[in-house]
């Protein structure tokens, strides 16, 4: 659990909750109106409520959950959050029918849709390939990319051998991401990238072209 502002003012207000085992990382933005990006697997070791409290975030202040896609390691924490608050779930329209919402409202996203979270203006970047409705979130002002399972550090990228995966679409998505100005990559697995982020993106694209 880490407040990322220790790495510089452009990351102010973003907290990193590392996924343990087969669980996604979770990112929080804001404090009085909290946004959570992905919810982890929801099992005991990855339970979010105590970790939010450790960060001095009140679960009742949770206003929205953004899902980068709907694999269980990203959505398992929704139920516990729904017991504490009534956040809106934001996710790409292609996967909106596949997630259990526990009575929560859904907002369907499309490529290019803006999202305000923690005082930041994020842009939805549809990046199919790992899943049909996979998204990244781009903060152009601070040059931050929340990369979901599309891009990982050191040239990694999302697998395409699960249902809905398509290798050529992932390669297209990675090529698109290389055109963004990015200084920080906040992935759904592994550690955040705090330097030479564009080199990591380029490596992911080149590796995907070679291996897929």
């Amino acid at each position: 659990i880490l407040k990322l502002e220790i790495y510089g003012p452009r990351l102010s207000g973003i907290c990193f909750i590392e996924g343990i085992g087969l669980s996604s990382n979770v990112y929080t933005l804001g404090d009085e109106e909290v946004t959570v990006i992905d919810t982890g697997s929801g099992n005991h070791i990855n339970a979010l409520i105590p970790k939010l409290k450790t960060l001095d975030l009140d679960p009742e202040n949770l206003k929205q959950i953004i899902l980068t896609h709907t694999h269980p390691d990203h959505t398992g924490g929704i139920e516990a959050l729904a017991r504490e608050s009534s956040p809106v779930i934001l996710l790409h329209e292609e996967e909106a029918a596949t997630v259990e919402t526990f009575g929560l409202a859904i907002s369907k996203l499309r490529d290019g849709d803006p999202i305000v979270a923690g005082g930041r203006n994020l842009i939805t970047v549809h990046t199919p390939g790992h899943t049909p409705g996979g998204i990244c979130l781009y903060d152009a002002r601070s040059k931050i990319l929340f990369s979901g399972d599309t891009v990982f550090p050191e040239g990694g990228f999302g697998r395409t051998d699960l249902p809905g995966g398509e290798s050529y679409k992932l390669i297209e998505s990675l090529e698109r991401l290389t055109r963004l100005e990015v200084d920080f990559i906040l992935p759904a697995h592994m550690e955040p990238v705090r330097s030479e982020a564009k080199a990591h993106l380029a490596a992911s694209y080149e590796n995907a072209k070679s291996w897929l």
Side-chain angles (χ1 to χ4, degrees):
I1 301 176
L2 194 63
K3 295 186 177 182
L4 294 183
E5 61 191 18
I6 66 171
Y7 298 124
R10 282 188 287 168
L11 295 163
S12 178
I14 302 175
C15 299
F16 168 58
I17 301 173
E18 185 173 13
I20 300 171
L22 298 177
S23 178
S24 75
N25 296 332
V26 175
Y27 297 93
T28 72
L29 294 85
D31 47 23
E32 294 183 2
E33 293 191 354
V34 179
T35 295
V36 165
I37 299 176
D38 290 327
T39 68
S41 64
N43 61 358
H44 177 72
I45 198 169
N46 288 289
L48 279 182
I49 300 302
K51 295 182 180 183
L52 292 176
K53 292 179 178 178
T54 297
L55 291 165
D56 296 321
L57 298 175
D58 186 346
E60 293 185 1
N61 290 340
L62 178 60
K63 301 303 180 185
Q64 57 187 3
I65 296 169
I66 307 172
L67 298 176
T68 60
H69 62 290
T70 58
H71 281 162
D73 57 324
H74 294 250
T75 63
I78 293 174
E79 182 177 7
L81 295 175
R83 290 197 294 265
E84 300 288 330
S85 184
S86 298
V88 177
I89 298 179
L90 292 78
L91 75 168
H92 194 271
E93 60 181 0
E94 289 200 32
E95 295 187 29
T98 67
V99 62
E100 176 64 61
T101 67
F102 304 98
L104 300 177
I106 280 185
S107 178
K108 299 178 183 179
L109 299 171
R110 294 182 177 182
D111 185 59
D113 281 353
I115 304 170
V116 177
R120 295 176 180 272
N121 296 312
L122 306 178
I123 297 297
T124 303
V125 184
H126 184 207
T127 52
H130 179 60
T131 66
I135 61 171
C136 297
L137 303 165
Y138 180 50
D139 178 347
R141 180 176 181 182
S142 296
K143 299 182 180 180
I144 298 169
L145 182 71
F146 296 88
S147 65
D149 279 6
T150 302
V151 168
F152 301 124
E154 307 296 338
F157 53 86
R159 59 190 297 180
T160 60
D161 58 341
L162 297 173
E166 295 187 68
S167 295
Y168 77 94
K169 285 190 175 182
L170 183 67
I171 291 170
E172 290 176 349
S173 294
L174 291 169
E175 190 278 330
R176 181 183 181 192
L177 293 179
T178 64
R179 292 185 258 124
L180 300 178
E181 290 300 319
V182 177
D183 290 340
F184 305 96
I185 300 172
L186 305 185
H189 300 278
M190 303 174 66
E191 296 286 327
V193 173
R194 308 189 305 273
S195 63
E196 299 184 2
K198 284 188 71 69
H200 287 257
L201 289 174
S204 296
Y205 173 49
E206 293 300 328
N207 286 340
K209 286 194 296 181
S210 297
W211 297 345
L212 299 178

